[in-house]
PDB file of all heavy atoms in Angstrom:
ATOM      1  N   GLY B 175       1.099  -1.937 -10.043  1.00  0.00           N
ATOM      2  CA  GLY B 175       1.763  -1.729  -8.756  1.00  0.00           C
ATOM      3  C   GLY B 175       2.213  -3.025  -8.098  1.00  0.00           C
ATOM      4  O   GLY B 175       2.406  -3.091  -6.891  1.00  0.00           O
ATOM      5  N   VAL B 176       2.391  -4.059  -8.901  1.00  0.00           N
ATOM      6  CA  VAL B 176       2.709  -5.392  -8.391  1.00  0.00           C
ATOM      7  C   VAL B 176       4.088  -5.444  -7.718  1.00  0.00           C
ATOM      8  O   VAL B 176       4.391  -6.372  -6.977  1.00  0.00           O
ATOM      9  CB  VAL B 176       2.629  -6.423  -9.547  1.00  0.00           C
ATOM     10  CG1 VAL B 176       3.787  -6.257 -10.511  1.00  0.00           C
ATOM     11  CG2 VAL B 176       2.569  -7.837  -9.027  1.00  0.00           C
ATOM     12  N   GLY B 177       4.907  -4.399  -7.930  1.00  0.00           N
ATOM     13  CA  GLY B 177       6.290  -4.403  -7.440  1.00  0.00           C
ATOM     14  C   GLY B 177       6.443  -4.653  -5.951  1.00  0.00           C
ATOM     15  O   GLY B 177       7.388  -5.313  -5.522  1.00  0.00           O
ATOM     16  N   ILE B 178       5.515  -4.138  -5.159  1.00  0.00           N
ATOM     17  CA  ILE B 178       5.624  -4.315  -3.715  1.00  0.00           C
ATOM     18  C   ILE B 178       5.573  -5.802  -3.369  1.00  0.00           C
ATOM     19  O   ILE B 178       6.404  -6.319  -2.637  1.00  0.00           O
ATOM     20  CB  ILE B 178       4.481  -3.559  -3.001  1.00  0.00           C
ATOM     21  CG1 ILE B 178       4.616  -2.059  -3.282  1.00  0.00           C
ATOM     22  CG2 ILE B 178       4.505  -3.832  -1.509  1.00  0.00           C
ATOM     23  CD1 ILE B 178       3.455  -1.237  -2.803  1.00  0.00           C
ATOM     24  N   MET B 179       4.587  -6.485  -3.972  1.00  0.00           N
ATOM     25  CA  MET B 179       4.436  -7.907  -3.699  1.00  0.00           C
ATOM     26  C   MET B 179       5.624  -8.692  -4.254  1.00  0.00           C
ATOM     27  O   MET B 179       6.106  -9.639  -3.639  1.00  0.00           O
ATOM     28  CB  MET B 179       3.134  -8.385  -4.335  1.00  0.00           C
ATOM     29  CG  MET B 179       2.607  -9.630  -3.718  1.00  0.00           C
ATOM     30  SD  MET B 179       1.021 -10.042  -4.404  1.00  0.00           S
ATOM     31  CE  MET B 179      -0.028  -9.051  -3.408  1.00  0.00           C
ATOM     32  N   MET B 180       6.098  -8.273  -5.410  1.00  0.00           N
ATOM     33  CA  MET B 180       7.271  -8.905  -6.004  1.00  0.00           C
ATOM     34  C   MET B 180       8.466  -8.828  -5.046  1.00  0.00           C
ATOM     35  O   MET B 180       9.169  -9.805  -4.824  1.00  0.00           O
ATOM     36  CB  MET B 180       7.631  -8.211  -7.317  1.00  0.00           C
ATOM     37  CG  MET B 180       8.965  -8.648  -7.888  1.00  0.00           C
ATOM     38  SD  MET B 180       9.622  -7.481  -9.101  1.00  0.00           S
ATOM     39  CE  MET B 180      10.210  -6.156  -8.038  1.00  0.00           C
ATOM     40  N   LEU B 181       8.635  -7.649  -4.456  1.00  0.00           N
ATOM     41  CA  LEU B 181       9.771  -7.434  -3.564  1.00  0.00           C
ATOM     42  C   LEU B 181       9.674  -8.328  -2.329  1.00  0.00           C
ATOM     43  O   LEU B 181      10.686  -8.841  -1.836  1.00  0.00           O
ATOM     44  CB  LEU B 181       9.804  -5.961  -3.158  1.00  0.00           C
ATOM     45  CG  LEU B 181      11.165  -5.368  -2.866  1.00  0.00           C
ATOM     46  CD1 LEU B 181      12.124  -5.609  -4.003  1.00  0.00           C
ATOM     47  CD2 LEU B 181      11.038  -3.887  -2.590  1.00  0.00           C
ATOM     48  N   ILE B 182       8.457  -8.516  -1.840  1.00  0.00           N
ATOM     49  CA  ILE B 182       8.267  -9.378  -0.677  1.00  0.00           C
ATOM     50  C   ILE B 182       8.643 -10.827  -1.025  1.00  0.00           C
ATOM     51  O   ILE B 182       9.364 -11.488  -0.293  1.00  0.00           O
ATOM     52  CB  ILE B 182       6.817  -9.281  -0.160  1.00  0.00           C
ATOM     53  CG1 ILE B 182       6.551  -7.854   0.353  1.00  0.00           C
ATOM     54  CG2 ILE B 182       6.570 -10.279   0.949  1.00  0.00           C
ATOM     55  CD1 ILE B 182       5.119  -7.586   0.724  1.00  0.00           C
ATOM     56  N   PHE B 183       8.176 -11.296  -2.187  1.00  0.00           N
ATOM     57  CA  PHE B 183       8.570 -12.639  -2.636  1.00  0.00           C
ATOM     58  C   PHE B 183      10.074 -12.725  -2.850  1.00  0.00           C
ATOM     59  O   PHE B 183      10.728 -13.695  -2.490  1.00  0.00           O
ATOM     60  CB  PHE B 183       7.872 -12.983  -3.963  1.00  0.00           C
ATOM     61  CG  PHE B 183       6.492 -13.544  -3.795  1.00  0.00           C
ATOM     62  CD1 PHE B 183       5.433 -13.062  -4.564  1.00  0.00           C
ATOM     63  CD2 PHE B 183       6.239 -14.567  -2.890  1.00  0.00           C
ATOM     64  CE1 PHE B 183       4.156 -13.576  -4.413  1.00  0.00           C
ATOM     65  CE2 PHE B 183       4.958 -15.086  -2.741  1.00  0.00           C
ATOM     66  CZ  PHE B 183       3.924 -14.586  -3.507  1.00  0.00           C
ATOM     67  N   TYR B 184      10.624 -11.681  -3.446  1.00  0.00           N
ATOM     68  CA  TYR B 184      12.050 -11.648  -3.796  1.00  0.00           C
ATOM     69  C   TYR B 184      12.938 -11.851  -2.565  1.00  0.00           C
ATOM     70  O   TYR B 184      13.794 -12.727  -2.547  1.00  0.00           O
ATOM     71  CB  TYR B 184      12.342 -10.319  -4.486  1.00  0.00           C
ATOM     72  CG  TYR B 184      13.805  -9.933  -4.585  1.00  0.00           C
ATOM     73  CD1 TYR B 184      14.601 -10.446  -5.609  1.00  0.00           C
ATOM     74  CD2 TYR B 184      14.377  -9.050  -3.680  1.00  0.00           C
ATOM     75  CE1 TYR B 184      15.930 -10.083  -5.717  1.00  0.00           C
ATOM     76  CE2 TYR B 184      15.710  -8.681  -3.779  1.00  0.00           C
ATOM     77  CZ  TYR B 184      16.484  -9.203  -4.792  1.00  0.00           C
ATOM     78  OH  TYR B 184      17.787  -8.837  -4.881  1.00  0.00           O
ATOM     79  N   THR B 185      12.683 -11.035  -1.509  1.00  0.00           N
ATOM     80  CA  THR B 185      13.533 -11.151  -0.332  1.00  0.00           C
ATOM     81  C   THR B 185      13.341 -12.509   0.334  1.00  0.00           C
ATOM     82  O   THR B 185      14.258 -13.072   0.903  1.00  0.00           O
ATOM     83  CB  THR B 185      13.227 -10.043   0.694  1.00  0.00           C
ATOM     84  OG1 THR B 185      11.823 -10.020   0.918  1.00  0.00           O
ATOM     85  CG2 THR B 185      13.651  -8.697   0.177  1.00  0.00           C
ATOM     86  N   ASN B 186      12.111 -13.032   0.207  1.00  0.00           N
ATOM     87  CA  ASN B 186      11.826 -14.332   0.790  1.00  0.00           C
ATOM     88  C   ASN B 186      12.586 -15.453   0.059  1.00  0.00           C
ATOM     89  O   ASN B 186      13.201 -16.317   0.671  1.00  0.00           O
ATOM     90  CB  ASN B 186      10.317 -14.570   0.711  1.00  0.00           C
ATOM     91  CG  ASN B 186       9.853 -15.653   1.663  1.00  0.00           C
ATOM     92  OD1 ASN B 186       8.945 -16.374   1.360  1.00  0.00           O
ATOM     93  ND2 ASN B 186      10.507 -15.776   2.786  1.00  0.00           N
TER      94      ASN B 186
END
Side-chain angles (χ1 to χ4, degrees):
Chain B
V176 72
I178 297 172
M179 202 175 276
M180 170 199 76
L181 210 53
I182 295 173
F183 275 133
Y184 164 83
T185 50
N186 198 214

